[in-house]
Amino acid sequence: MENFYHRPVLLEETVAGLDLKENGVYFDGTLGGGGHSSEILKRMPTARLVATDRDPEAIAAAEERLSPFAGRFQIYRDNFKNFEEVLQRAGVGKLDGFLLDLGISSHQIDDRERGFSYLADEAPLDMRMDKSGGLSARDVVNGYPEERLKEILKEYGEERYAGYIAKKIAARRADKPIETCGELKAIVESSYPAKERTPACARQTFQAIRIEVNGELDGLGECVKNLLGRLKTGGRGCVITFHSLEDRIVKQAFRELSTGCDCPKYFPVCVCGKKKTIEEITKKPLVATEEERRENPRSKSAKLRIARKCE
């Protein structure tokens, strides 16, 4: 599927972080166009891969890209948060490594019909990673109560003018439904003080609505912890995030599992029995090099955290 493209971010850092092993079994929960997965299979000829993605266009493109490695990979159209069921279907027990690239693909952003970008004025408000059904951005914008919209914009978009934007959305949709990305962008821009209006001021609103539509943060922390628990001793988990909300959740999950005894310091001996189960390989997240940022501006906000299973 040649018209689908996605440049994987932090490719070298991620593949190195997985510390690939002979006959290793790896899980790519966010397959996209298959960029990271193809490198895993290419660099370790004895590796096996199980992958998930919700976007059928991405899966079709990845199947084509991974075709030279036929027999060594299985792809499932599913949410990575359902990995337990997916791995059971694939006949996989413990993992040698997993990868989650939590960003959306370049193809999804640039495909005007997907409605992800505030730059695509005529695009319909959609933002679904799986277009086959479920809640769309149009449903959220036109159907959510004003107060709930405000909460979403504030929590998921960290939008300073969430209240003003939600109020203007409610007023506009009372006359007629808001249908396109351009209409929503215009509402957001009109909610900003004139001196702060820029082409990018709608970015946080679009991010917030996209997160709500796809449930991106729902259960993310528990999923990361459970995936880390599925690793073999010495196995690696790599998670790439693109905004502070995701990174905060992943950081907390890593910290919780990399911390041992949490008894009060004045206790003479440990009574909780808690032991750390992972080691954080990256005390601070890895970020894209200057060269990668120049070649792929979308890598600028990417952060990679890596952990190793201790037991």
Side-chain angles (χ1 to χ4, degrees), residues 5-131:
Y5 62 96
H6 177 54
R7 181 181 297 179
V9 302
L10 295 164
L11 179 61
E12 293 297 326
E13 294 87 347
T14 301
V15 176
L18 285 171
D19 190 25
L20 300 176
K21 296 178 174 61
E22 292 280 349
N23 301 307
V25 180
Y26 297 91
F27 175 65
D28 184 348
T30 47
L31 179 64
H36 289 104
S37 286
S38 63
E39 286 300 311
I40 292 170
L41 294 172
K42 181 171 70 175
R43 298 187 192 192
M44 184 53 69
T46 58
R48 177 187 174 192
L49 179 88
V50 178
T52 57
D53 204 286
R54 288 188 281 179
D55 188 339
E57 293 181 12
I59 290 174
E63 286 177 335
E64 183 176 323
R65 187 169 192 168
L66 300 181
S67 59
F69 312 107
R72 295 173 51 207
F73 68 90
Q74 296 161 273
I75 301 174
Y76 296 86
R77 184 178 174 185
D78 209 331
N79 190 319
F80 68 83
K81 294 170 188 173
N82 300 325
F83 76 89
E84 293 281 6
E85 179 183 340
V86 168
L87 294 180
Q88 183 177 17
R89 289 167 61 192
V92 170
K94 291 287 188 178
L95 295 167
D96 291 281
F98 72 84
L99 159 68
L100 298 178
D101 176 353
L102 300 178
I104 60 176
S105 73
S106 301
H107 175 81
Q108 289 170 327
I109 294 172
D110 293 339
D111 183 349
R112 297 176 66 85
E113 294 305 309
R114 304 300 292 269
F116 282 106
S117 176
Y118 56 85
L119 298 176
D121 286 352
E122 301 303 317
L125 279 172
D126 194 322
M127 303 192 193
R128 291 173 296 173
M129 292 184 181
D130 181 350
K131 297 190 294 182

Side-chain angles (χ1 to χ4, degrees), residues 1 22 44 62 111 115 138 142 150 171 175 189 214 232-233 244 252 255 265 274 286:
M1 193 171 180
E22 292 280 349
M44 184 53 69
D111 183 349
R138 184 187 187 281
N142 291 290
K150 176 183 174 181
D175 294 330
E189 289 177 347
N214 295 290
K232 299 175 184 176
T233 299
S244 60
Q252 179 58 38
R255 180 172 294 173
K265 292 183 179 180
K274 183 174 181 288
L286 302 180

Side-chain angles (χ1 to χ4, degrees), residues 152-167:
I152 290 169
L153 299 182
K154 190 172 183 180
E155 181 180 356
Y156 294 161
E158 301 178 294
E159 172 56 68
R160 289 180 299 159
Y161 301 110
Y164 295 110
I165 296 169
K167 186 174 183 178

Side-chain angles (χ1 to χ4, degrees), residues 54 116 126-129 134-140 144 152 156 207-216:
R54 288 188 281 179
F116 282 106
D126 194 322
M127 303 192 193
R128 291 173 296 173
M129 292 184 181
L135 193 73
S136 71
R138 184 187 187 281
D139 298 326
V140 172
Y144 275 29
I152 290 169
Y156 294 161
Q207 170 185 296
I209 295 172
R210 190 199 80 221
I211 289 172
E212 174 67 13
V213 166
N214 295 290
E216 295 176 35

